[in-house]
């Protein structure tokens, strides 16, 4: 399943060029990304599901507005952010003042995309098992048990993979002079 900016953008462009299979793969690949995005912002699971579906519909119906020269995930998360704002307005939910800037900020999405690409680049230097464990638990927000079930391994194996992977990443970053 596509997870990198390049893979997602390729699927989006394929869908724009009339490839129905690429478009379907894109929408399926977006589900876990959107789940993670909304789970961090909402507490009610039903709201998360509704917003994921809402966002997928918006991606489908507004796909012609995507600029092929710009990062796909910036466009996606802008749509997701507006869906979340609309949700809060409809339900008149209060949002702590600390979170308002997080929801409303328009700038910085490209920084987030670049950060995601940096994470993808770093994780590519690890073993696939370690990279997946870190991505699942630290990037996508899955619990250790969810990550273990998805990878068909034990929970302790996930914990060890995360620990060793983070240790290896730390050594990589220190070695690069950052």
């Amino acid at each position: 399943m596509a997870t990198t900016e390049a893979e997602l953008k390729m699927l989006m462009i394929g869908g724009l060029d009339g490839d129905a299979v690429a478009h379907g793969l894109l929408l399926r690949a977006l589900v876990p990304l959107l789940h993670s995005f909304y789970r961090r912002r909402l507490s009610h699971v039903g709201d998360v599901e509704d917003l994921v579906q809402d966002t997928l519909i918006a991606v489908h119906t507004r796909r012609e507005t995507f600029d092929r020269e710009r990062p796909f995930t910036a466009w996606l998360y802008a749509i997701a952010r507006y869906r979340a704002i609309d949700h809060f307005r409809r339900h008149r939910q209060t949002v702590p003042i600390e979170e308002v800037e997080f929801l409303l900020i328009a700038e910085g999405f490209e920084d987030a995309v670049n950060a995601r690409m940096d994470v993808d680049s770093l994780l590519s230097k690890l073993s696939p098992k370690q990279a997946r464990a870190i991505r699942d638990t630290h990037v996508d927000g899955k619990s250790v048990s969810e990550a273990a079930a998805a990878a068909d391994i034990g929970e302790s194996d996930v914990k060890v993979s995360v620990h060793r992977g983070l240790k290896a990443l730390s050594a990589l970053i220190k070695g690069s002079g950052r």
Side-chain angles (χ1 to χ4, degrees):
M1 179 158 304
T3 58
T4 67
E5 169 68 26
E7 292 169 329
L8 294 170
K9 188 173 183 177
M10 180 185 69
L11 290 174
M12 179 64 169
I13 291 172
L16 289 172
D17 291 340
D19 184 346
V21 172
H23 187 63
L25 289 171
L26 172 70
L27 294 176
R28 281 190 287 287
L30 296 182
V31 171
L33 296 175
L34 293 171
H35 269 275
S36 177
F37 179 85
Y38 289 123
R39 262 196 313 237
R40 287 185 296 236
R41 289 158 181 81
L42 301 166
S43 57
H44 189 260
V45 175
D47 291 341
V48 170
E49 292 298 325
D50 291 345
L51 282 168
V52 168
Q53 293 304 313
D54 241 11
T55 306
L56 291 174
I57 291 168
V59 166
H60 174 71
T61 59
R62 292 178 178 80
R63 65 185 179 268
E64 295 301 325
T65 66
F66 174 66
D67 180 352
R68 295 169 186 242
E69 301 301 315
R70 304 206 27 111
F72 171 75
T73 51
W75 180 80
L76 170 70
Y77 289 126
I79 291 172
R81 186 184 77 243
Y82 287 119
R83 293 281 140 219
I85 291 168
D86 289 345
H87 171 79
F88 290 129
R89 284 182 185 147
R90 274 193 314 271
H91 293 89
R92 302 264 186 239
Q93 292 178 335
T94 58
V95 177
I97 193 71
E98 299 82 28
E99 295 179 24
V100 171
E101 181 179 347
F102 182 70
L103 286 171
L104 298 178
I105 191 161
E107 301 83 32
F109 272 97
E110 288 185 22
D111 292 339
V113 169
N114 291 335
R116 174 135 185 137
M117 291 187 313
D118 287 346
V119 168
D120 290 340
S121 173
L122 284 170
L123 290 179
S124 72
K125 293 178 170 93
L126 299 176
S127 73
K129 184 176 171 183
Q130 290 173 343
R132 181 173 184 176
I134 291 172
R135 179 177 306 286
D136 284 351
T137 58
H138 285 71
V139 177
D140 294 339
K142 292 180 184 176
S143 69
V144 171
S145 60
E146 289 171 328
D152 197 29
I153 59 177
E155 290 182 27
S156 61
D157 206 358
V158 170
K159 291 176 185 177
V160 168
S161 294
V162 167
H163 174 75
R164 290 180 180 164
L166 291 175
K167 189 173 179 181
L169 286 177
S170 177
L172 279 169
I173 292 169
K174 287 178 183 173
S176 68
R178 286 187 178 177

